[in-house]
Every structure is written in C-alpha cells, then in structure tokens.
C-alpha cells in the first residue's frame, strides 16, 4: 500500500470516502436497532451489530487493488480515484472497528476495555517508531542497486507471524498485526518490492488457498437451517442494507464531485467488491462471538 496516496488525495476523494463509510454505518446501525428485538442474544448487543455495521462500511484496500489490477485500471483516473478513496475509507473504518471492539471488551469489564485501548495504542506507537525506523535503517544500509540482505527479509517474514500472534494475544484481530506491519514498510524498491517478490508466490499459491479451505471447513450451512429465517432475517437485513447503502453513498457523492455517471458507477462497483479479507473478518466475528 502506497501511503503517499493519503497525502496526494484531494477534496473529492475525502468527500466520497467519508460518505461511503459514515452513511452505511448509520443506516446499518438504524436497521440493527429497529430489528434488535428479534435478534438472538449475541447479535442483539450494541457492540455486535455495531461491529457488523462498521465492517460492512469499510472498503478493503487489498481487494480493490487486486480488482483494479486484474482489469488493468491501476493507472486510469478511475483506478487512482478508487485507490485513494479506498485508502481513506480504510483509515476511517479502522477507527470505527476499534471503537466497537472496545465496546465488546466493555461487556466484560471496564478494565478490559481500558487495557484493550492501551495495548492498541502501545502497539501502534511501537510500529510507528521502532518498527518504522528499523525498516528505514535497512533501506539506508542497502547499497543502491543491490538486493536487500536475505537475513533482513527472513526476519521481517518471521515478524509477520510474531505480530499476528501478538495482536491476537492483546485481543485485536489476528490479521491486524501483520497488516499494520506492512503499512509501516515503505513501498517500492528496495525493501517493499523485494518482500513482494519473495513472498507473493507462496502467499498466493499456498497460504491463500489454505485459508479458503480453512474457512470452508469452519462453515456449517446446517446451522442456518436450524436457526430458521426468524433468527437470521435481522442479520440478512443488516447485510443487504449495508451493501445497498455502500453502493448508493459512493455513487451519488462521486457524481456530485464532478465524475460522469459511468465513472461514478464504476467506482461504486469497485468499492463495493468483497473478497478474502471479508471472509477472514466473518471468521473473526464467529471467533469473538459477535454473531
């Protein structure tokens, strides 16, 4: 992820991003509140349908990047607009998700919520200071035109697993540690490009199919049948309203900031796409007893 997109983003991207996140959160929360009486005990908690509303509103940058890459739209105006908007909405959405995760901890005790926020803050500060400086030090000590030392590459790959374990231990989602570590690594050569080159094959050809298989093994459609429509209808209502709100709240602001209907429609579709990140998020819901 090129974090420089945040600095280069203009008012158009910010307006579209704010609308595409805040409006779905509000609408899904309203739908959840209206249907709360018919929900089961786990889903009826404010933290639970709040987490679902924020998750549906978040635009996952990795998915949008892959979609635009497959369609050869990365260098187009639509692609640049979509990537900038996705990055901004991701940044906003992470704060919403952190808030509702804290509310989830608050159901246990106030002390748990306080420790959750403190651990999150300490972890982020560590990433922005020590981890970021370590990455810049590696870049400075790599001769121009030379590949990054293999030792540093292996250490960073091991850190991916270590940070994932650490965030899971602290009560954050297990993928947050690895994802945030990637954010502090400068993109492009020498370090970012080397890491992508070294890990892309094993991630795309081994780890990713294994993650799909793992989620498939954890999926039980019989549970849906046993629960019945009356128990599932509130959840389906929140999901459908979230997707519709996401699409419309992206389409109309994009048109209002000067894009054509065709470009606005394309950006709305791209930003509404879902993928493996969302499957991981759904598993996280089940793991944390959100629904």
């Amino acid at each position: 992820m090129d974090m420089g997109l945040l600095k280069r983003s203009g008012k158009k991207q910010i307006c579209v991003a704010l609308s595409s996140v805040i409006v779905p959160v509000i609408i899904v929360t309203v739908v959840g509140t209206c249907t709360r009486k018919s929900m089961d005990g786990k889903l009826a908690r404010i933290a639970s349908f709040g987490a679902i509303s924020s998750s549906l509103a978040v635009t996952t940058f990795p998915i949008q990047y892959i979609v635009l890459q497959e369609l050869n739209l990365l260098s187009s105006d639509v692609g640049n607009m979509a990537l900038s908007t996705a990055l901004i909405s991701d940044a906003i959405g992470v704060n919403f998700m952190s808030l509702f995760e804290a509310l989830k901890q608050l159901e246990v005790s106030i002390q748990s919520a306080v420790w959750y926020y403190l651990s999150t803050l300490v972890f982020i500060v560590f990433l922005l200071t020590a981890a970021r400086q370590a990455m810049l030090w590696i870049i400075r000590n790599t001769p121009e035109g030379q590949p990054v030392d293999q030792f540093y590459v292996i250490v960073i790959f091991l850190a991916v697993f270590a940070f994932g374990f650490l965030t899971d231990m602290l009560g954050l989602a297990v993928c947050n540690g690895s994802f945030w570590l990637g954010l502090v690594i400068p993109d492009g050569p020498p370090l970012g490009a080397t890491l992508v080159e070294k890990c892309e094959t094993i991630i795309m050809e081994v780890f990713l199919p294994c993650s799909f298989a793992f989620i498939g093994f954890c999926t039980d459609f019989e549970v849906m049948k046993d629960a019945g429509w009356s128990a599932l209808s509130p959840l389906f209502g929140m999901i459908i309203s979230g997707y519709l709100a996401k699409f419309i709240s992206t389409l109309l602001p994009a048109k209002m900031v000067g894009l054509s209907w065709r470009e606005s429609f394309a950006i709305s579709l791209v930003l509404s796409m879902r993928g493996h990140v969302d499957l991981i998020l759904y598993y996280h819901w089940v793991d944390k007893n959100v629904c």
Side-chain angles (χ1 to χ4, degrees), residues 272-287:
S272 300
M273 293 290 181
R274 302 289 168 169
H276 59 276
V277 176
D278 302 282
L279 292 176
I280 295 172
L281 186 60
Y282 301 153
Y283 179 79
H284 175 66
W285 289 352
V286 176
D287 185 49

Side-chain angles (χ1 to χ4, degrees), residues 226-262:
D226 296 337
W229 173 250
S230 59
L232 293 176
S233 57
L235 180 60
F236 286 161
M238 293 170 64
I239 292 174
I240 293 172
S241 63
Y243 282 132
L244 289 175
K246 179 73 175 180
F247 181 82
I248 296 173
S249 63
T250 305
L251 175 68
L252 297 181
K255 177 60 180 174
M256 291 173 62
V257 297
L259 275 67
S260 65
W261 280 113
R262 183 176 181 180

Side-chain angles (χ1 to χ4, degrees), residues 110-122:
I110 297 177
Q111 185 179 5
S112 297
V114 172
W115 278 113
Y116 171 84
Y117 256 119
L118 284 177
S119 60
T120 302
L121 180 62
V122 170

Side-chain angles (χ1 to χ4, degrees), residues 19-203:
S19 173
S20 66
V21 173
I22 295 176
V23 172
V25 167
I26 294 174
I27 290 178
V28 176
T29 302
V30 170
V31 172
T33 303
C34 294
T35 58
R36 190 179 181 188
K37 292 182 179 179
S38 58
M39 296 179 182
D40 62 20
K42 292 181 181 179
L43 186 59
R45 291 173 292 195
I46 296 177
S48 294
F49 66 74
I52 292 174
S53 65
S54 59
S55 303
L56 291 171
V58 171
T59 300
T60 50
F61 183 94
I63 303 303
Q64 272 67 56
Y65 182 89
I66 293 174
V67 170
L68 293 170
Q69 186 181 45
E70 292 291 332
L71 297 174
N72 294 319
L73 293 175
L74 284 176
S75 59
S76 65
D77 293 338
V78 171
N80 290 327
M81 179 76 173
L83 286 182
S84 299
T85 305
L87 195 57
I88 297 170
S89 60
D90 254 10
I92 300 170
V94 165
N95 289 288
F96 277 114
M97 294 179 69
S98 298
L99 173 63
F100 288 114
E101 289 282 358
L103 290 176
K104 187 71 177 176
Q105 297 292 332
L106 191 60
E107 293 176 356
V108 179
S109 66
I110 297 177
Q111 185 179 5
S112 297
V114 172
W115 278 113
Y116 171 84
Y117 256 119
L118 284 177
S119 60
T120 302
L121 180 62
V122 170
F123 186 74
I124 292 175
V125 170
F126 172 77
L127 282 173
L128 295 176
T129 54
R132 175 72 174 180
Q133 291 303 316
M135 301 305 165
L136 295 176
W137 181 86
I138 293 173
I139 293 174
R140 288 194 301 267
N141 286 269
T142 300
E144 187 174 352
Q146 297 295 320
V148 178
D149 191 285
Q150 193 75 7
F151 172 77
Y152 299 135
V153 174
I154 294 174
V155 169
I156 293 174
F157 285 157
L158 292 175
V160 171
F161 293 99
F163 280 42
F165 170 79
L166 183 61
T167 50
D168 189 47
M169 183 180 68
L170 294 174
L172 308 172
V174 66
C175 58
N176 279 342
S178 308
F179 179 69
W180 293 348
L181 175 62
L183 290 181
V184 301
I185 300 176
D187 67 303
L191 186 56
T194 300
L195 293 173
V196 171
E197 179 184 354
K198 295 290 185 181
C199 72
E200 187 172 27
T201 300
I202 190 172
I203 288 177

Side-chain angles (χ1 to χ4, degrees), residues 66 201-215 276-277 280:
I66 293 174
T201 300
I202 190 172
I203 288 177
M204 300 301 293
E205 303 297 334
V206 180
F207 288 161
L208 197 57
C210 287
S211 71
F212 287 141
F214 175 75
I215 293 173
H276 59 276
V277 176
I280 295 172

